[in-house]
Amino acid sequence: MKRKLIVSSSPHLHKDESVIKIMWMVVVSLIPAGAVGVFVFGLYAFWIIILGIITAVFTEGLIEILTKRKVTILDGSAVLTGLLLAYNLPPRVPLWLPIVGSFFAIAIGKQVFGGLGQNIFNPALVGRIFLMASWPKYMTAFTKPFDTVTSATPLALLKEAKFIEQITYLDLFLGKRGGCIGEVCIFSLLLGALFLLLRGYISWHIPIPYILTVGLFAYIFGGKTLFSGDWLFHILSGGLILGAFFMATDYVTSPLTAKGQVIFGIGCGIITSVIRLWGGYPEGVSYAILMMNAVTPIIDRYTKTRIYGTRCAK
Amino acid sequence: MVGLEKPPLPKQVYIPLSQHTGKACIPEVRPGESVVTGQRIAGIQAAIWAPVHASLSGKVTAVQDWPHPVLGRAKAIVIESNGEDRVAEDKRKREPEEVNKLTSEEIRNLVFSAGIVGMGGASFPTHIKLNPPKPVDTLIINGAECEPYLMSDYRLMVEKTGEIIKGIELITKCLGVKRVIVAIEENKPEAIKNFNYELRITCLAGRQANYELRILKSQYPQGGEKQLIKNLLKKEVPRGKLPFDVGVVVHNVATCFAIYEAVYLNKPLYERIVTVTGSCVLNSKVLLVRIGTPIKELIAFCGLKEEPAKIILGGPMMGIAQFTDEVPVIKSTTGIILFNQKEARIYEEGSCIRCGACIRECPVGLMPCLINLATERGLWQKAKDYGALDCIECGLCSFACPAKRRLVQSIRRAKLELGK
Ligand code: SF4
Ligand code: SF4
């Protein structure tokens, strides 16, 4: 034998799967929703998305160089964070806002904890909450679709008990409404989510219980009397679909086991509903997911898998 | 599918003294001595062991250190063939009537002196498993190939169906069980057909035990005893216990065949079936090989498409990568797999992204990512609490991990540390 043989520990087979591929698949699945966002709100929204992504990648690379760690900017995770942050911004924010938000998301939301896999909170949401707290004026200035006139989102209108006449379910479904760039077109979000579900990159264990819980709460408590709420409206509006399928499912910050994930989803649903129905904000998806991120370690501790041969042993 | 083939007899065999779970044997022949095929050449006094036999007739030339597929290097008896392959004269076949008269004790002794060990890769001495310390009621015959790529058991089940069933009957007699389950995976239709036919005849002939043929979904790792018991009987072996604690004994089909050969043909275990395959192999073959044959002779017999970058003895999921092609086939060698440069590439390890793939895959219900984190920090007790010792090292977690974390490797490390 001429060549030296490679000796490594078993197994000798590996699935054709990688973190890079998963991250980029999620990015790809989000493209339709962003495209519709740009179509509805204009090219300006496109620049917000691009700046969000570039800043995220740049920040990640810079910090990794400064702290002398491996530069991982091509693994898609920074791109995804920047993209999600931008999707969670209103369509006419000043262009420095996505830059500040993305920087904060990567620097404080991710790298401070030690980079990919180490962070407790969803970085994009950390960035968003930071912007919300610092510049609420910009973060709540929504515009009408195909227009630059400011208007409130359907959920905000509902909160202020204003009559929402023009908005139909179909408008909500297709994205003809006020809202953040990436959250408005439910149809394309569901398309992306379906792709991820079919490819096995996400599972139903978080999003479905999440959405059902919100629907249930809205039905019971969302109307003038009990059991008369407009549950479909609640499901289709705000950032619920974007949050449930693309942010609550973030591997790093959600529970490990299926059981834990269902609990996580229901928890998100309860918090979102409480904020929407009785809280001070019209929308609660970001806060709900962040709060559940915080309890994920506890959920993990109580939802361990059962080891073979330990059924009765306690 | 390829039929069973016999490669030319090797000129020289290297027979390791340690080929079973338990103590290594001590040579009973000296360099210069002549031996015949099937002659016992090594043994020891111990609780758990199995004798070793010459696989060729010829002359012992040395007892020396030699590459070993599992241990790296170990003592081996080297025999140079005289080309005659002469069998000892007293090794005559037994007639069926004669076999029927054998008591369980006699069968066990024959199995022991034939040096039979579990042939599925575990290599636990078989005679001990024929004498469980508690009564058992169910015998499971494992016809689920242990790993992907391997075809040895399939080939054997197709070509030696009757012989395997004769072996099963001997085991049944030893154990006194009333229920026998033959488990075969659905991707082995020919084996299923043959067993179906032969078992019907067996049952008609009014044998003692009740035979069931069970078709399993093809799914790795089915070959593990505990997994098999769960799939077939819907019960689990309690943690830290062995199958006989739930009244079950599992034997591999190749072991059944070896028992048949030992009792009916009076032939000790000096030959076994080995699959030679992989992308570098020109003609994948299933070979009947003498124990101690250097694998390079078998590789040459099958031909090479390209120079292999990695040689694995065993299956691709649990097998061991070899330093050299000088290693000999031993009693537990199920296959030889040759990978090219691309397949042998070593992946860089990334950070765990908590995707949970390893958890979903683990057949034992462990959370490999957490054990991995604990071992990385040297928290051995924590690794144990997470169940590191329950890992069967099937490799599925590492296989599935998108970050290419070396999960199994770290669990092995934890086991070593915990065993100290
Ligand atoms: S090797 Fe991995 S998948 Fe297999 S039993 Fe061990 S931890 Fe579970
Ligand atoms: S499969 Fe790999 S990346 Fe996923 S949780 Fe397990 S160790 Fe982490």
Side-chain angles (χ1 to χ4, degrees):
Chain A
M1 190 116 319
K2 285 144 267 159
R3 199 197 284 153
K4 221 175 150 216
L5 291 170
I6 295 174
V7 178
S8 64
S9 171
S10 68
H12 307 284
L13 290 178
H14 292 277
K15 201 169 170 181
D16 176 28
E17 195 60 87
S18 68
V19 173
I20 299 182
K21 193 166 150 200
I22 296 174
M23 293 295 171
W24 283 107
M25 284 296 175
V26 179
V27 170
V28 166
S29 73
L30 278 163
I31 289 176
V36 175
V38 170
F39 176 70
V40 171
F41 298 117
L43 207 58
Y44 189 81
F46 177 72
W47 296 114
I48 295 177
I49 298 174
I50 293 299
L51 283 172
I53 294 175
I54 291 177
T55 312
V57 171
F58 181 78
T59 311
E60 176 131 311
L62 188 72
I63 294 179
E64 282 171 341
I65 290 170
L66 289 180
T67 55
K68 301 203 170 50
R69 273 179 294 159
K70 204 175 147 245
V71 176
T72 59
I73 53 173
L74 288 180
D75 71 5
S77 71
V79 172
L80 184 59
T81 298
L83 185 81
L84 281 172
L85 177 92
Y87 276 23
N88 275 292
L89 296 178
R92 297 217 65 85
V93 293
L95 286 177
W96 53 265
L97 210 70
I99 298 180
V100 174
S102 263
F103 174 80
F104 196 84
I106 294 289
I108 307 298
K110 183 176 175 191
Q111 292 296 342
V112 159
F113 291 95
L116 182 66
Q118 312 293 317
N119 49 300
I120 299 171
F121 298 104
N122 186 315
L125 289 178
V126 170
R128 171 163 200 233
I129 293 304
F130 171 70
L131 296 180
M132 228 17 198
S134 312
W135 295 280
K137 191 172 95 215
Y138 295 129
M139 291 299 287
T140 50
F142 293 97
T143 55
K144 273 194 179 148
F146 306 111
D147 205 340
T148 49
V149 182
T150 42
S151 84
T153 63
L155 269 179
L157 290 172
L158 188 74
K159 191 107 206 171
E160 291 156 28
K162 286 194 182 139
F163 191 53
I164 17 177
E165 46 179 344
Q166 308 102 322
I167 292 180
T168 63
Y169 291 136
L170 190 68
D171 287 341
L172 286 174
F173 190 66
L174 295 177
K176 213 164 139 271
R177 53 139 164 156
C180 293
I181 299 169
E183 73 183 22
V184 289
C185 182
I186 303 300
F187 174 70
S188 39
L189 284 172
L190 288 180
L191 209 66
L194 191 68
F195 167 75
L196 293 182
L197 281 168
L198 290 179
R199 297 288 298 259
Y201 291 126
I202 61 174
S203 71
W204 60 268
H205 297 92
I206 292 174
I208 302 301
Y210 188 174
I211 293 166
L212 289 181
T213 306
V214 170
L216 192 71
F217 264 73
Y219 172 64
I220 300 177
F221 303 110
K224 291 200 179 64
T225 57
L226 283 183
F227 302 103
S228 68
D230 189 346
W231 55 273
L232 192 56
F233 175 82
H234 268 271
I235 288 178
L236 294 178
S237 55
L240 178 62
I241 299 296
L242 176 65
F245 283 107
F246 298 93
M247 294 194 288
T249 52
D250 173 33
Y251 294 149
V252 177
T253 55
S254 61
L256 284 165
T257 63
K259 213 194 316 172
Q261 288 167 359
V262 171
I263 296 172
F264 182 91
I266 294 174
C268 285
I270 294 174
I271 299 174
T272 302
S273 303
V274 167
I275 295 177
R276 276 188 182 183
L277 296 171
W278 301 291
Y281 288 103
E283 176 58 306
V285 170
S286 309
Y287 295 100
I289 296 175
L290 284 172
M291 278 188 223
M292 291 310 289
N293 287 163
V295 295
T296 291
I298 300 169
I299 298 179
D300 271 343
R301 192 167 322 143
Y302 290 103
T303 54
K304 290 212 191 91
T305 49
R306 188 186 61 82
I307 298 173
Y308 179 105
T310 58
R311 197 186 296 279
C312 15
K314 249 274 104 86
Chain B
M1 199 165 77
V2 285
L4 204 53
E5 274 184 67
K6 275 191 188 185
L9 280 185
K11 302 222 159 32
Q12 221 161 29
V13 284
Y14 303 81
I15 304 176
L17 293 169
S18 176
Q19 299 187 46
H20 48 260
T21 311
K23 264 205 154 135
C25 291
I26 297 167
E28 291 167 346
V29 288
R30 253 174 291 155
E33 245 175 79
S34 291
V35 292
V36 291
T37 308
Q39 177 184 335
R40 175 169 149 171
I41 52 173
I44 192 174
Q45 287 304 319
I48 300 177
W49 71 285
V52 173
H53 299 82
S55 56
L56 284 174
S57 65
K59 205 158 72 192
V60 176
T61 52
V63 178
Q64 66 182 74
D65 256 1
W66 191 257
H68 186 286
V70 181
L71 306 171
R73 286 188 87 80
K75 280 238 161 4
I77 297 175
V78 188
I79 299 172
E80 208 178 81
S81 170
N82 57 11
E84 291 169 15
D85 193 21
R86 201 155 43 80
V87 184
E89 261 116 47
D90 58 336
K91 301 272 187 212
R92 55 166 198 88
K93 290 184 187 164
R94 288 190 184 85
E95 296 304 321
E97 300 80 54
E98 226 176 314
V99 174
N100 283 341
K101 282 197 208 104
L102 292 172
T103 64
S104 330
E105 193 55 41
E106 283 164 335
I107 296 174
R108 262 196 296 273
N109 278 335
L110 287 173
V111 168
F112 163 68
S113 11
I116 299 176
V117 299
M119 307 279 285
S123 58
F124 190 79
T126 300
H127 63 276
I128 299 174
K129 272 175 83 179
L130 291 181
N131 195 11
K134 279 184 205 171
V136 294
D137 51 37
T138 308
L139 168 65
I140 295 178
I141 301 303
N142 183 359
E145 201 82 58
C146 314
E147 295 197 41
Y149 282 69
L150 301 180
M151 302 170 280
S152 314
D153 287 350
Y154 188 8
R155 208 54 247 163
L156 189 72
M157 284 189 281
V158 171
E159 297 194 9
K160 309 281 182 195
T161 320
E163 289 85 342
I164 293 172
I165 292 177
K166 285 203 173 89
I168 298 174
E169 275 166 5
L170 292 168
I171 303 174
T172 313
K173 189 164 179 185
C174 282
L175 297 174
V177 293
K178 285 277 165 277
R179 184 181 184 200
V180 179
I181 302 176
V182 180
I184 306 178
E185 286 175 307
E186 65 188 355
N187 62 353
K188 303 181 175 57
E190 274 187 72
I192 294 170
K193 202 180 81 200
N194 288 6
F195 266 88
N196 222 338
Y197 178 74
E198 294 274 346
L199 280 179
R200 205 134 15 124
I201 297 177
T202 310
C203 291
L204 280 179
R207 305 292 152 95
Q208 300 149 341
N210 233 329
Y211 284 82
E212 281 169 51
L213 180 63
R214 293 275 291 270
I215 321 277
L216 299 167
K217 274 212 239 98
S218 337
Q219 165 197 34
Y220 176 81
Q222 195 101 249
E225 294 193 343
K226 293 187 174 182
Q227 269 57 49
L228 207 55
I229 291 171
K230 184 176 171 184
N231 284 348
L232 289 169
L233 303 174
K234 303 279 167 279
K235 63 180 168 190
E236 294 184 7
V237 180
R239 203 176 186 181
K241 295 280 167 74
L242 291 167
F244 67 74
D245 286 304
V246 291
V248 183
V249 169
V250 183
H251 281 285
N252 169 276
V253 283
T255 312
C256 299
F257 182 67
I259 292 174
Y260 159 81
E261 288 197 312
V263 175
Y264 281 83
L265 309 183
N266 212 345
K267 179 180 158 196
L269 180 56
Y270 59 77
E271 222 173 18
R272 73 152 295 143
I273 297 181
V274 178
T275 305
V276 184
T277 187
S279 55
C280 300
V281 177
L282 197 59
N283 301 305
S284 289
K285 286 181 198 257
V286 183
L287 302 175
L288 189 59
V289 179
R290 296 295 164 98
I291 303 291
T293 309
I295 61 168
K296 67 175 175 193
E297 292 190 21
L298 306 175
I299 295 171
F301 181 65
C302 295
L304 276 181
K305 243 188 271 179
E306 59 179 305
E307 192 76 4
K310 193 188 226 179
I311 299 180
I312 302 156
L313 250 61
M317 297 299 282
M318 297 177 76
I320 301 175
Q322 302 296 322
F323 292 95
T324 156
D325 57 0
E326 303 277 353
V327 288
V329 166
I330 63 171
K331 290 177 186 175
S332 58
T333 309
T334 48
I336 302 169
I337 299 173
L338 279 68
F339 275 175
N340 63 23
Q341 197 71 38
K342 189 161 154 262
E343 293 165 306
R345 94 173 240 234
I346 294 176
Y347 293 90
E348 201 184 330
E349 197 171 20
S351 313
C352 168
I353 55 165
R354 292 172 45 92
C355 67
C358 53
I359 300 170
R360 285 191 294 277
E361 291 296 335
C362 181
V364 183
L366 301 178
M367 301 175 79
C369 49
L370 298 184
I371 305 178
N372 181 238
L373 283 183
T375 56
E376 270 191 352
R377 300 192 186 124
L379 304 172
W380 310 118
Q381 188 50 45
K382 202 161 177 198
K384 189 179 170 188
D385 294 342
Y386 283 135
L389 297 178
D390 292 284
C391 169
I392 57 167
E393 301 183 20
C394 68
L396 274 175
C397 49
S398 295
F399 170 80
C401 176
K404 305 283 183 277
R405 307 251 346 135
R406 315 222 161 99
L407 300 168
V408 187
Q409 211 172 332
S410 77
I411 294 172
R412 269 190 211 119
R413 170 93 207 285
K415 283 184 176 175
L416 277 180
E417 288 289 336
L418 287 166
K420 271 182 189 165

